[in-house]
């Protein structure tokens, strides 16, 4: 997979060379993602937006039409950057690149989005700053490529760089060969369709020692009974999800395969009965 990132702060990603490759010490150069990049499974290129500004000050922003506080990033500078990145990096035989624009006003970025991006050949990220990017950039890009405006949560960051690190990490850990155990992401919170945690948050996890400060590991996990362990894990996942994310339980309850009889009993015992009023429509 090829990932291009356009930003006014290339240093945020730890750029290693003039080609925009990421440094081993940067957030995309360490751990599993760094290893994937080292193997060539993902090719990161970081670009400085200011390279496409035409004035001596390398200006990338201007005051907003209609007034108001703050500055808006200029469509003409962004347009040139995008033209260059797309022309310089065609992935042979691949579908057109997808432009991803992080913004608090975008659609929520979810595990499902991450899984669909993991199937793409080329992602281009546009990191906004200030009040965001002139909206004509997205309108223009949509005429030639798929474009997603995505939000990583209901809060406002100072810039898109942190959002890009979040998105890239969520996507890259789903690429084949990145996680040591391929099953581990289907057992994670929000695990893929049909996974053990499909639509749920993962329950509690434990490791040695068996007793720590008088806290014991639940007996069932030491029983060797894999069926009982799997059932306990699902029960705990249901309880935790009901407390922390009742919206997910309502969504599961609305799907035919979402919750079994035992699941409903566990939820009822936990004080979260799933009845007609509790189901998402
Ligand atoms: N004026 C914008 C608004 O109210 O929607 C906020 C702009 S924010 C200060 C600057 C940049 O940070 C955005 O263009 C975007 O790149 C990034 N950003 C901020 N919050 C974000 C979020 N929740 N998800 C994704 N990107 C975000």
């Amino acid at each position: 997979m090829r990932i291009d990132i356009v930003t006014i702060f290339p240093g945020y990603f730890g750029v290693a060379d003039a080609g925009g490759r990421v440094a081993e010490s940067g957030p995309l150069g360490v751990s599993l993602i760094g290893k994937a990049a080292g193997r060539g499974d993902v090719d990161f290129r970081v670009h400085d937006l200011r390279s496409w500004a035409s004035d001596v000050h390398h200006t990338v922003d201007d005051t907003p039409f209609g007034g108001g506080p703050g500055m808006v990033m200029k469509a003409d500078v962004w347009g040139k950057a995008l033209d260059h990145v797309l022309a310089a990096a065609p992935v042979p035989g691949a579908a057109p690149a997808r432009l991803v624009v992080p913004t608090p006003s975008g659609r929520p970025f979810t595990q499902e989005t991450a899984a669909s991006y993991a199937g793409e050949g080329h992602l281009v990220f546009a990191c906004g700053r200030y009040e965001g990017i002139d909206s004509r950039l997205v309108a223009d890009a949509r005429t030639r490529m798929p474009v997603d405006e995505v939000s990583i949560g209901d809060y406002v960051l100072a810039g898109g760089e942190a959002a890009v690190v979040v998105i890239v990490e969520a996507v890259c850990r789903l690429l084949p060969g990145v996680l040591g155990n391929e099953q581990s992401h289907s057992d994670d919170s929000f695990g893929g369709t049909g996974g053990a945690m499909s639509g749920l948050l993962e329950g509690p996890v434990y490791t040695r020692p068996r007793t720590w400060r008088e806290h014991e590991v639940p007996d069932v996990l030491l029983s060797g009974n894999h069926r009982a362990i799997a059932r306990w894990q699902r029960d705990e996942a249901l309880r935790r999800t009901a407390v922390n994310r009742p919206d997910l339980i309502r969504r599961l309850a609305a799907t035919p395969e979402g919750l079994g009889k035992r699941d409903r009993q566990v939820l009822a015992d936990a004080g979260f009965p799933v009845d007609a009023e509790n189901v998402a429509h």
Side-chain angles (χ1 to χ4, degrees), residues 28-98:
L28 302 178
V30 295
S31 188
L32 297 172
I33 313 298
K35 284 188 192 149
R39 283 194 304 271
D41 292 347
V42 52
D43 181 9
F44 292 113
R45 300 300 170 102
V46 181
H47 311 270
D48 186 351
L49 178 70
R50 293 195 193 276
S51 327
W52 289 282
S54 48
D55 65 326
V56 286
H57 301 295
H58 303 288
T59 307
V60 295
D61 58 326
D62 206 339
T63 51
F65 278 125
M71 301 293 272
V72 174
M73 295 186 106
K74 290 160 68 63
D76 54 344
V77 180
W78 269 105
K80 277 192 254 173
L82 194 55
D83 292 348
H84 176 94
V85 167
L86 295 178
V91 176
R98 177 174 294 274

Side-chain angles (χ1 to χ4, degrees), residues 6 8 21 44 105 131 161 240 260 272 278:
V6 185
I8 57 168
R21 288 187 183 78
F44 292 113
S105 55
E131 293 307 315
E161 290 76 10
R240 180 174 278 185
F272 195 88
N278 247 337

Side-chain angles (χ1 to χ4, degrees), residues 28-262:
L28 302 178
V30 295
S31 188
L32 297 172
I33 313 298
K35 284 188 192 149
R39 283 194 304 271
D41 292 347
V42 52
D43 181 9
F44 292 113
R45 300 300 170 102
V46 181
H47 311 270
D48 186 351
L49 178 70
R50 293 195 193 276
S51 327
W52 289 282
S54 48
D55 65 326
V56 286
H57 301 295
H58 303 288
T59 307
V60 295
D61 58 326
D62 206 339
T63 51
F65 278 125
M71 301 293 272
V72 174
M73 295 186 106
K74 290 160 68 63
D76 54 344
V77 180
W78 269 105
K80 277 192 254 173
L82 194 55
D83 292 348
H84 176 94
V85 167
L86 295 178
V91 176
R98 177 174 294 274
L99 176 65
V100 182
V101 184
T103 164
S105 55
R107 293 190 178 186
F109 176 75
T110 64
Q111 188 65 16
E112 220 174 301
T113 328
S116 89
Y117 288 177
E120 299 273 354
H122 185 189
L123 297 172
V124 179
F125 289 93
C127 301
R129 281 269 157 180
Y130 319 121
E131 293 307 315
I133 305 171
D134 183 317
S135 294
R136 290 170 294 180
L137 187 268
V138 162
D140 184 64
R142 281 198 208 284
T143 63
R144 57 181 161 150
M145 68 196 297
V147 181
D148 292 344
E149 294 179 287
V150 293
S151 165
I152 63 159
D154 292 346
Y155 40 77
V156 179
L157 301 166
E161 290 76 10
V164 168
V165 171
V166 167
I167 295 170
V168 165
E169 191 158 320
V171 171
C172 288
R173 71 187 285 281
L174 299 181
L175 295 176
V178 171
L179 291 184
N181 177 352
E182 288 302 317
Q183 207 201 325
S184 84
H185 51 71
S186 69
D187 287 351
D188 282 330
S189 298
F190 320 109
T193 316
M197 291 305 139
S198 183
L200 292 173
L201 306 181
E202 190 182 59
V205 294
Y206 303 88
T207 187
R208 278 184 278 265
R210 219 171 133 160
T211 307
W212 177 75
R213 294 187 180 174
E214 298 180 8
H215 299 282
E216 298 286 340
V217 171
D219 286 341
V220 64
L221 298 179
L222 308 168
S223 68
N225 180 339
H226 297 296
R227 259 181 87 132
I229 291 172
R231 187 60 246 181
W232 180 87
Q233 287 170 332
R234 182 153 177 98
D235 293 352
E236 289 298 313
L238 287 160
R239 291 185 192 109
R240 180 174 278 185
T241 310
V243 171
N244 291 345
R245 292 291 303 278
D247 57 310
L248 295 180
I249 295 288
R250 284 192 286 271
R251 195 181 307 162
L252 266 186
T255 61
E257 305 298 323
L259 295 172
K261 203 169 154 197
R262 160 76 186 247

